[in-house]
Amino acid sequence: MWAFWDVTSRVGMRPTSWLSLAYSDTIFNYPRRRHPRIAGLVALTIDDGLCRQDPNCSLVAEVRDMLRQHGAKATFMLCSDYLEGVEEEARGLLEDGHEFGNHCPKDREYYSLPPAEFEEELLKTNRKLESLLGEDRRVRWFRAPQAKYSSDMKKTIHRHGLRHALGNTYCDDWAVSDGPWVAATMLRQVDDGSILIIHMPERGFREHTLEALRLILEGLTQRGLRAVTLSTLAELAEADQAPERPQDEIAQATGGIQDVDEVALPELPPDVCKTSCMTRPVGGIKEQRTLADGCSEAEAQVAAVEAVLGDPGGCIVEITSWWTPTGGRWCAKAFTAESGQSISFEQHTEGRGYLVYHSQSRSIPQQA
């Protein structure tokens, strides 16, 4: 399990976001390109709180102090059965400006329940949370336990005014008892507008996530990122939604590209080419940066062309839509070459993708 998350994080992939193909109403992150107001911010979410064991095993005070030291806010996705005996500690989290989301009564799947039974469990948790929140506040967020989410669950939570949120920064921290590895893996995935998912530590149970949380908070600070609640991130991102770019504007910016099988970019300088072979840069890379993520193919094309035109030294932009042969979520990443080197590639058969590049940064693709 750890190898999957380790490898995918090292190549810039965020596997939890693949669920966006199935969960159309779910928030995974707020890309900075679409939502510039969230620059420098991420949402920190903590699952399965607060303590499923004896209240003496609670680490709420330690987590609370750690968040306070880093000026961080979090959304705690809480299980109502795990609040017994720690209600005062829960109220202390609210006093510090954190928020609560609905994670059902227990850490188990609810996907298989009949709709009426799921609704009963959902409302059981809502009532418990609202007893802590007070009359003037309501629960806004729901997270399906184990990320198993059905159309019936969707209809139910919408009927009760809840929104479903998962995240794009995650690594099965509950299963790998190595705090430094958890933190390093998640920090490789994080970016402006990310939603982080980590599990609540307890004494003797997932206790390693306390160390992981500390290292994550330190890593965010080093990257100039600050953790806020999910509601804060959503309000900033959604307060000023960018209008859709007209198709003629997109076509002009991309040289009229509409089909990934087209090879020429006639509107661009002669040293710029395009290949439709599915490749991934693997060597000779000096710098990598994400231009657009979780967007449409046209938006990725716009970002690619703008990056290539704006970099006279030469860069390569990889445009990919992994695991979605018929379309879906696209990403554009720019690569610059080490001095005196060219960037080499491996060919892949999965996913869709292509490259836009300056010829001086190019080398012949190698078979994977």
Side-chain angles (χ1 to χ4, degrees), residues 226-246:
R226 180 168 61 90
V228 298
T229 65
L230 190 52
S231 288
T232 296
L233 191 72
E235 288 166 4
L236 285 171
E238 296 168 4
D240 188 23
Q241 292 278 19
E244 291 290 326
R245 298 183 74 170

Side-chain angles (χ1 to χ4, degrees), residues 137-156:
R137 301 173 68 179
R138 65 180 182 87
V139 180
R140 298 182 59 184
W141 299 100
F142 171 74
R143 175 169 291 159
Q146 302 177 14
K148 295 180 179 179
Y149 184 55
S150 69
S151 58
D152 285 331
M153 294 168 74
K154 172 181 174 179
K155 294 174 185 176
T156 301

Side-chain angles (χ1 to χ4, degrees), residues 4-57:
F4 169 79
W5 294 105
D6 193 73
V7 170
T8 54
S9 69
R10 291 182 185 276
V11 297
M13 301 173 76
R14 300 176 176 88
T16 53
S17 63
W18 299 342
L19 290 171
S20 63
L21 299 172
Y23 301 163
S24 60
D25 69 318
T26 300
I27 304 298
F28 289 87
N29 70 312
Y30 288 98
R32 180 178 177 178
R33 179 175 176 83
R34 291 186 184 179
H35 310 282
R37 296 180 64 180
I38 55 82
L41 300 177
V42 299
L44 174 62
T45 64
I46 302 177
D47 280 9
D48 293 354
L50 286 173
C51 185
R52 72 182 67 200
Q53 305 177 97
D54 185 278
N56 291 326
C57 296

Side-chain angles (χ1 to χ4, degrees), residues 136 139 211 330 349 358:
D136 297 332
V139 180
E211 181 184 18
W330 289 81
T349 57
H358 280 287

Side-chain angles (χ1 to χ4, degrees), residues 46 55 98 210 243 278 332:
I46 302 177
H98 307 295
L210 183 66
M278 290 173 286

Side-chain angles (χ1 to χ4, degrees), residues 236-258:
L236 285 171
E238 296 168 4
D240 188 23
Q241 292 278 19
E244 291 290 326
R245 298 183 74 170
Q247 287 300 313
D248 57 349
E249 181 183 345
I250 293 175
Q252 182 179 4
T254 60
I257 309 170
Q258 297 297 329

Side-chain angles (χ1 to χ4, degrees), residues 13 53 65 70 75 81 97 104 114 118 135 188 194 201-202 213 216 229 238 255 272 278 283 337 349 352 365:
M13 301 173 76
Q53 305 177 97
D65 185 58
H70 289 273
T75 299
D81 285 4
C104 292
F118 167 69
E135 294 182 0
R188 282 195 293 269
S194 286
E202 302 175 27
L213 179 60
I216 288 170
T229 65
E238 296 168 4
V272 178
M278 290 173 286
T349 57
R352 293 175 62 188

